Amino acid sequence: MISYRNIYLKIFFFATVIFIASSCAKESSRTTGWEYNNSKNGGFQVNTKYGEQPVGPGLKLVEGGTFTMGRTADNPMYDWDNIPRRVTVPSFYIDETEVANVDYVEYLYWLSRVFGTDYPEVYRKALPDTLVWREKLAYNEPLVETYFRHPAYRNYPVVGVSWVQANEYCLWRTDRVNEMLLIREGILDFDPDQRNENNFNTEAYLAGQYEGLVNKPLKDLNPSGTGERRAKLEDGIMVPKYRLPTEAEWEFAALGLVGNTVYERVVERRVYPWNGTIVRSDQKKYYGQFLANFKRGRGDYMGVAGSLNDGADLPAEVASYWPNDYGLYNMAGNVAEWVLDVYRPLTFEDMADYAPFRGNVFTTKVTDEEGFLAPKDSLGRIKYREVTTEESKDRFNYRSANQINYLDGDYQSTINPDWSSVPADSVNTTNMMYEYAKTSLVSDKSRVYKGGSWRDPAYYLSPATRRYLDQNLSTNYIGFRCAMGKVGGAYSTSKGK
């Protein structure tokens, strides 16, 4: 009599063997047929187990898409610098909250520990301007001493930080997160004795100009190598650079249209980061409560005692109120936020419709006479310089390094027809049209900041509003949050897409 049980067991056994064999089979090149990760054939290494980009702490994924960028209401100042236009924003990551005082104090502590002895100016240049709290006809002097460092304000958004300082923070954060990722992978060990140029810098590490305390190096399959190697970009262990979000990214993230679309149609164009045209909650449990921290009217920053409206006179804690549909807090109110872009009033006319941004200055790494990478600088960073016209002469997508004034500020933008016959190299293309303090208040150092703040009326709560300030100045109502590009596809694989 046939034993079906034994047949089933044999079938299961062979299926299991085939599955294990197939899962253990090594991948090979689709174009050459050579096997990856095999020291016997040359040792070309490919991360065949890469899943998804590591997500830095505090970041939220913003799934990109198309949207109508620009104003949603008439500008009371009659600044027609924000005409609506359709653009597409690629997927990216952005901080769940604004950068808080405790985060920036951590940054200053690291700078003091690493550079404080030999390069104290590095620490001093990073200090926020606490004097921004002073008012000529108001008593805010206690805030000068307490707001930034007192534990009561630990989780409040940092202010008094310029656009330049915010960018430096982003670079520092990139290195600290990547160093921690390498430590978690067991490749490096903690090194509390980093000083001056001997500190972990992502680019210096990848370029072989930083060693660190090696714990367990990766295996090198190159038969001509030493058998050990450092992590490479191709391994996918480290994250891309932290940076400020672009104006388009910030506005897109603030609107949170992911919760306001039906079959690729935006049902209702949002005025604020929530549905409706009012600034109070219409939910039964929280009916009438304010959804953001702002100035309701002249002399009214928080309401009447015993019945405070938004509950905060100055900035509130970074995780206050309700998050939008991306899970982001305070994308309206609390503090306005720096973004990456250079301000131009005619941005809506000349911006690209995919990943729009104005402010590019193309650079390249500094090399020596033999073409090798130059040694890192005294702070441990790789040196960069602007690309030259000679290096760009055969390119069709750009011909010079500084593109800040392209189509809006350079000689090509002027209405004078005589410029068309003048060679580009013989013309000073910087601020041809925007002569600061002479014909305009706009310069190449004018940076956009977005969103309303604790001291702004409700109009500025709309993510579409845009204002600008010199990149070296700071205020008591502008903070920032960091962003990061998403590598690979638009979707997160953790969502099953």
Side-chain angles (χ1 to χ4, degrees):
M1 184 176 178
I2 299 176
S3 176
Y4 289 102
R5 181 175 182 275
N6 290 336
I7 294 176
Y8 291 145
L9 288 175
K10 290 180 180 180
I11 292 174
F12 177 77
F13 172 77
F14 284 115
T16 303
V17 170
I18 293 172
F19 173 77
I20 294 175
S22 62
S23 62
C24 294
K26 294 185 177 180
E27 290 189 30
S28 58
S29 171
R30 293 174 296 177
T31 54
T32 65
W34 285 63
E35 192 177 89
Y36 297 146
N37 306 317
N38 189 337
S39 60
K40 295 180 180 179
N41 65 11
F44 175 58
Q45 292 184 255
V46 176
N47 184 356
T48 59
K49 298 180 180 179
Y50 180 79
E52 191 176 12
Q53 171 182 345
V55 180
L59 295 179
K60 289 282 189 179
L61 175 66
V62 175
E63 186 178 296
T66 182
F67 83 116
T68 301
M69 180 180 180
R71 72 168 187 258
T72 54
D74 288 340
N75 190 317
M77 305 301 293
Y78 298 100
D79 291 331
W80 305 109
D81 63 348
N82 205 13
I83 304 299
R85 62 276 187 194
R86 176 64 68 92
V87 301
T88 290
V89 175
S91 297
F92 65 101
Y93 293 92
I94 192 170
D95 274 337
E96 183 179 19
T97 69
E98 303 115 333
V99 172
N101 285 325
V102 66
D103 305 321
Y104 205 84
V105 169
E106 179 187 5
Y107 166 54
L108 292 177
Y109 174 79
W110 188 92
L111 292 180
S112 176
R113 183 172 61 82
V114 175
F115 298 117
T117 302
D118 297 322
Y119 301 103
E121 69 277 6
V122 174
Y123 172 81
R124 288 196 295 266
K125 286 173 63 176
L127 286 170
D129 181 11
T130 59
L131 299 182
V132 295
W133 287 109
R134 285 179 171 171
E135 295 279 350
K136 292 185 288 292
L137 296 176
Y139 184 65
N140 293 340
E141 201 64 21
L143 294 170
V144 174
E145 299 294 332
T146 61
Y147 181 81
F148 179 55
R149 294 190 183 273
H150 196 283
Y153 295 109
R154 183 183 67 179
N155 292 318
Y156 285 61
V158 64
V159 296
V161 174
S162 70
W163 181 92
V164 172
Q165 290 175 315
N167 276 273
E168 288 295 316
Y169 174 89
C170 292
L171 294 176
W172 168 84
R173 186 174 173 186
T174 301
D175 296 332
R176 302 290 69 74
V177 170
N178 280 333
E179 183 181 16
M180 178 55 67
L181 289 173
L182 291 175
I183 291 172
R184 288 179 179 176
E185 290 291 323
I187 298 171
L188 294 181
D189 203 352
F190 288 102
D191 184 7
D193 296 323
Q194 298 179 43
R195 294 292 184 274
N196 301 331
E197 74 279 358
N198 184 36
N199 69 83
F200 179 89
N201 176 273
T202 302
E203 292 185 326
Y205 175 83
L206 292 173
Q209 296 192 14
Y210 174 82
E211 189 68 26
L213 295 182
V214 179
N215 181 19
K216 186 178 180 182
L218 295 175
K219 188 176 181 180
D220 187 4
L221 299 180
N222 185 348
S224 303
T226 62
E228 297 179 347
R229 65 174 179 85
R230 65 180 63 231
K232 301 184 295 184
L233 183 65
E234 293 90 328
D235 296 315
I237 296 173
M238 292 179 278
V239 297
K241 289 181 179 179
Y242 283 84
R243 55 174 173 78
L244 293 179
T246 66
E247 181 178 2
E249 287 175 335
W250 193 96
E251 186 171 329
F252 181 81
L255 286 172
L257 295 176
V258 67
N260 196 34
T261 58
V262 178
Y263 302 117
E264 294 194 72
R265 294 181 296 110
V266 177
V267 178
E268 180 182 358
R269 203 170 165 218
R270 281 180 170 171
V271 176
Y272 304 113
W274 51 81
N275 290 331
T277 58
I278 60 175
V279 294
R280 296 178 184 266
S281 173
D282 59 0
Q283 297 182 23
K284 185 175 181 180
K285 184 177 180 180
Y286 306 103
Y287 190 82
Q289 294 189 21
F290 276 94
L291 297 170
N293 176 20
F294 68 103
K295 182 180 177 181
R296 188 167 65 169
R298 182 176 178 84
D300 185 358
Y301 289 87
M302 60 179 172
V304 179
S307 182
L308 299 181
N309 49 44
D310 62 32
D313 52 347
L314 302 173
E317 292 195 13
V318 294
S320 301
Y321 309 101
W322 288 265
N324 71 0
D325 289 330
Y326 280 121
L328 308 177
Y329 288 87
N330 290 309
M331 297 302 281
N334 214 32
V335 291
E337 299 177 20
W338 288 114
V339 295
L340 206 56
D341 294 57
V342 169
Y343 175 82
R344 285 292 184 270
L346 300 180
T347 290
F348 62 90
E349 288 189 350
D350 47 47
M351 70 191 310
D353 60 0
Y354 176 78
F357 168 68
R358 178 178 290 280
N360 281 315
V361 179
F362 301 125
T363 60
T364 186
K365 294 175 182 176
V366 176
T367 55
D368 58 24
E369 295 178 354
E370 298 180 352
F372 294 105
L373 191 65
K376 60 186 179 181
D377 64 19
S378 58
L379 301 182
R381 294 180 176 182
I382 296 298
K383 300 175 184 176
Y384 280 84
R385 62 169 176 81
E386 294 185 11
V387 298
T388 65
T389 304
E390 179 66 22
E391 291 171 324
S392 309
K393 66 179 181 179
D394 294 327
R395 303 205 61 85
F396 63 87
N397 50 341
Y398 65 89
R399 293 295 179 88
S400 61
N402 191 325
Q403 298 297 319
I404 289 176
N405 291 295
Y406 180 65
L407 294 182
D408 196 345
D410 59 9
Y411 80 97
Q412 295 175 342
S413 309
T414 161
I415 60 175
N416 188 342
D418 294 336
W419 286 116
S420 60
S421 61
V422 180
D425 292 343
S426 65
V427 179
N428 180 4
T429 61
T430 303
N431 282 335
M432 290 290 297
M433 296 175 63
Y434 296 95
E435 294 186 271
Y436 184 72
K438 294 182 179 180
T439 60
S440 174
L441 294 177
V442 178
S443 75
D444 287 356
K445 295 183 179 181
S446 299
R447 300 288 175 171
V448 179
Y449 66 92
K450 300 283 283 183
S453 74
W454 59 272
R455 56 174 288 170
D456 289 318
Y459 168 78
Y460 289 105
L461 299 185
S462 171
T465 57
R466 61 196 307 251
R467 292 174 283 180
Y468 65 93
L469 187 69
D470 186 281
Q471 65 185 28
N472 293 300
L473 299 180
S474 59
T475 73
N476 62 5
Y477 60 89
I478 301 179
F480 71 101
R481 70 181 75 208
C482 302
M484 177 188 295
K486 185 184 185 307
V487 295
Y491 294 122
S492 170
T493 56
S494 62
K495 295 171 63 177
K497 296 184 178 180

